[in-house]
Amino acid sequence: MEERNEEQSFARMLAESEMDSGPELEPGDRVRGKIISIGKDHVYVDTGTKTDGVADREDLLDREGNFTLEEGDTVELFVVSSHQGEIRLASSFGAHGGVQQLMQAMEQEIPVQGRVKETCKGGFRVQIMGNHLAFCPMSQMDNRMVEDSQSLVGESMTFLISRVEANGRNIVVSRRALKDKEQAESLQEFSRNYKPGDVLQATVTRVEPYGVFVEVAPGLEGLVHISEMSWSRSLAPEELVSVGEQVSVALLGMEEKDKGQVRIGLSMKQAQADPWESITEEFEPGSMVEGVVTRVAPFGAFVEISPGLEGLVHVSEMSYLKRVSKPEDEVEPGQKVRVKIKGIDTLERRISLSMRDAQGDPWEGVSARYKKGSLVEGQVEKQEDFGLLVALEQGVVGLVPRSILHRAQDSSLADKKPGDRVNVAVESVDEANRRISLQPADPAQSEEWQSYAPAREEGLGSLGLELKKAMEKKKG
């Protein structure tokens, strides 16, 4: 009785052991396991069953012909055969198989490794399973348009066999079918693992004028539109990323298109911090900063003072020196300008800027520089019906009223043309309203001239010395 119980216990343990070892593998199955041993010619892999798998070391060389794998590395291989307690593995099914394995690969949709030999009419000639030549139509090489077919010659790729005829002499393969299948599997897994708002790592695969495509899972691409690439609107896609670069993206959503295709919308900028959230920590009204003109409008120019932070320089804030009517005459996109921050509205996300305040107001302190009665030399800006406009310095213009011109002894002042140099005296200064009233320089009528001391002769200049001589001559 005891012996019988021991037999039943042993049988149960054996059955449990077999259950734990996983299901039996069949040719064509894909196995993912760790390398447990590396020999001179073979590599042994844990298949997850009670039998380890063996693969030819030569079959696991990289594209440069080097063996770079180590014990403990995980590899993904196909079951080539399973008999007599041995599981043979290979990087692709039927690496050296005959017509029977070709048919098996086609019927079971098992991927096979192939090398593009050359281009031909309508597609490519591909060498598969050792020495079999197959035809891959151009439309079946990829699930997107092939732009440079010649660049694929010599490349090793994985294909699905779609037709085997004439005892293996007529073989048609498709890489697109395999990519579509992998893409569908990746999409299904991707949909389970991610939801809108999640941030993930992706690899840039293509750069286009309207944005970039990135791979978010094997064979699965999404689009980062140019508007979602950066908080800054002044940079082009090629200035931000390059093919092969790793980037962080936020998932915006997935939209089903025609023929079951799914469009994955992504954002690089939403994977980063919003610059408006910390704007008050970096900038404050009254500060001077340097920015870049991003665009010009009839009412002013937009200037980016930091990536994602763009403000407006209204046309009225462009210059103190002249009246600006066309902003494009003053600035252009890409130009660096110095601006003063006039205001920040975080609720409306608006920044008001001034170019003229950053350059300085020429009217500031003008009453101290041009006192009543002082004699100055200016340049005629223009003749108007109401008088003569005289520029005393850049941005500061005074007026000789028409009524004073008519009463002046030196009537030639009324005949001056724009650009002519003239001598005038300051009559009054209204700094708040930006007005300076002038009159012709007349030494005989200038009461303030009497106050000039001899000790300041050196500072009078040629005009002052001549006026002083004229007064002394009149006294004599």
Side-chain angles (χ1 to χ4, degrees):
M1 186 70 176
E2 185 177 347
E3 184 177 346
R4 184 178 177 184
N5 289 337
E6 287 181 357
E7 289 178 357
Q8 289 178 345
S9 177
F10 179 78
R12 186 169 59 252
M13 291 173 61
L14 180 62
E16 290 176 354
S17 174
E18 290 179 347
M19 289 178 63
D20 292 341
S21 64
E24 291 295 327
L25 296 174
E26 299 291 337
D29 288 346
R30 185 180 297 184
V31 174
R32 182 179 177 83
K34 289 186 178 181
I35 296 176
I36 56 178
S37 178
I38 300 175
K40 180 180 179 182
D41 299 315
H42 300 95
V43 175
Y44 298 89
V45 179
D46 181 2
T47 62
T49 69
K50 61 183 179 181
T51 305
D52 295 330
V54 58
D56 290 338
R57 180 179 177 134
E58 186 178 358
D59 190 37
L60 301 181
L61 301 180
D62 61 17
R63 296 181 63 177
E64 285 72 34
N66 301 316
F67 185 84
T68 59
L69 298 172
E70 298 178 354
E71 290 184 8
D73 287 350
T74 299
V75 292
E76 191 169 294
L77 303 170
F78 289 97
V79 176
V80 176
S81 63
S82 178
H83 64 281
Q84 297 181 352
E86 181 182 70
I87 298 177
R88 296 289 300 180
L89 303 174
S91 60
S92 64
F93 182 74
H96 302 285
V99 176
Q100 183 178 355
Q101 284 191 315
L102 283 171
M103 295 297 296
Q104 185 181 0
M106 179 183 69
E107 293 168 357
Q108 298 183 15
E109 296 186 345
I110 302 171
V112 297
Q113 193 73 16
R115 182 173 176 271
V116 180
K117 294 285 290 183
E118 59 184 355
T119 60
C120 60
K121 184 178 180 180
F124 304 84
R125 286 193 177 90
V126 182
Q127 185 176 359
I128 64 171
M129 295 174 67
N131 55 1
H132 295 282
L133 277 180
F135 171 69
C136 180
M138 181 70 71
S139 62
Q140 295 300 310
M141 180 54 78
D142 207 325
N143 52 7
R144 63 172 183 256
M145 186 178 66
V146 176
E147 297 181 354
D148 184 6
S149 58
Q150 196 62 37
S151 66
L152 300 180
V153 175
E155 292 290 325
S156 292
M157 304 173 180
T158 309
F159 298 84
L160 283 179
I161 299 176
S162 55
R163 186 190 308 168
V164 178
E165 297 175 344
N167 198 31
R169 292 190 296 273
N170 183 14
I171 307 170
V172 179
V173 296
S174 171
R175 181 166 171 257
R176 176 175 181 169
L178 181 60
K179 294 195 73 173
D180 286 344
K181 182 180 178 181
E182 291 176 345
Q183 189 179 68
E185 293 173 354
S186 288
L187 179 61
Q188 189 176 14
E189 185 176 357
F190 183 82
S191 301
R192 287 197 305 264
N193 296 333
Y194 297 100
K195 62 183 183 301
D198 287 349
V199 176
L200 57 145
Q201 295 298 305
T203 304
V204 178
T205 55
R206 282 185 288 160
V207 179
E208 303 289 351
Y210 53 83
V212 296
F213 288 90
V214 298
E215 188 177 59
V216 293
L220 189 62
E221 285 185 340
L223 172 65
V224 181
H225 190 266
I226 186 173
S227 61
E228 291 292 335
M229 291 193 66
S230 171
W231 290 105
S232 174
R233 293 193 293 181
S234 61
L235 297 175
E238 61 271 16
E239 296 178 279
L240 292 167
V241 296
S242 56
V243 174
E245 184 178 344
Q246 294 284 318
V247 294
S248 296
V249 293
L251 177 61
L252 299 181
M254 291 180 283
E255 177 186 357
E256 189 170 344
K257 302 189 297 180
D258 297 336
K259 300 179 181 179
Q261 295 292 316
V262 175
R263 175 182 295 166
I264 301 176
L266 304 166
S267 173
M268 287 170 53
K269 75 177 187 181
Q270 293 189 37
Q272 306 165 357
D274 184 349
W276 276 94
E277 295 178 356
S278 58
I279 185 173
T280 54
E281 299 173 8
E282 298 182 38
F283 302 101
E284 59 182 15
S287 57
M288 302 287 187
V289 295
E290 189 175 72
V292 178
V293 177
T294 57
R295 51 200 172 104
V296 180
F299 51 82
F302 290 90
V303 176
E304 187 176 62
I305 60 174
S306 182
L309 297 177
E310 193 177 72
L312 172 66
V313 179
H314 191 267
V315 64
S316 62
E317 293 291 336
M318 287 193 151
S319 177
Y320 276 122
L321 306 181
K322 58 182 175 180
R323 184 182 180 85
V324 178
S325 57
K326 294 182 178 180
E328 60 269 23
D329 292 340
E330 301 299 312
V331 294
E332 61 182 11
Q335 180 179 339
K336 289 184 178 181
V337 293
R338 187 166 177 78
V339 293
K340 180 179 181 179
I341 299 177
K342 301 198 71 176
I344 299 174
D345 187 340
T346 55
L347 293 178
E348 296 293 331
R349 294 196 169 212
R350 292 178 180 173
I351 307 172
S352 55
L353 306 171
S354 175
M355 287 169 53
R356 69 179 191 177
D357 284 354
Q359 298 164 356
D361 185 357
W363 280 87
E364 187 175 345
V366 74
S367 57
R369 299 198 301 275
Y370 300 100
K371 296 185 180 297
K372 181 178 180 179
S374 59
L375 304 173
V376 294
E377 185 182 52
Q379 182 174 315
V380 175
E381 190 170 272
K382 64 169 69 173
Q383 287 273 7
E384 297 285 3
D385 294 338
F386 50 82
L388 185 70
L389 293 174
V390 179
L392 304 182
E393 61 180 77
Q394 198 172 28
V396 178
V397 178
L399 172 67
V400 182
R402 181 65 60 185
S403 58
I404 294 180
L405 283 175
H406 289 323
R407 295 199 306 267
Q409 293 181 2
D410 184 5
S411 59
S412 64
L413 196 62
D415 301 326
K416 296 295 184 179
K417 298 178 180 178
D420 289 347
R421 306 296 297 182
V422 294
N423 302 319
V424 292
V426 177
E427 175 65 21
S428 63
V429 178
D430 184 349
E431 185 173 329
N433 293 306
R434 297 173 181 266
R435 293 176 182 173
I436 296 181
S437 181
L438 305 172
Q439 63 179 2
D442 185 355
Q445 297 178 355
S446 176
E447 297 178 0
E448 293 298 319
W449 182 255
Q450 304 275 351
S451 63
Y452 277 77
R456 296 182 61 187
E457 285 187 3
E458 292 182 1
L460 295 178
S462 59
L463 173 62
L465 292 174
E466 291 299 322
L467 292 174
K468 186 173 185 298
K469 288 178 182 178
M471 289 183 65
E472 291 176 347
K473 185 176 181 181
K474 187 174 181 180
K475 288 180 181 180

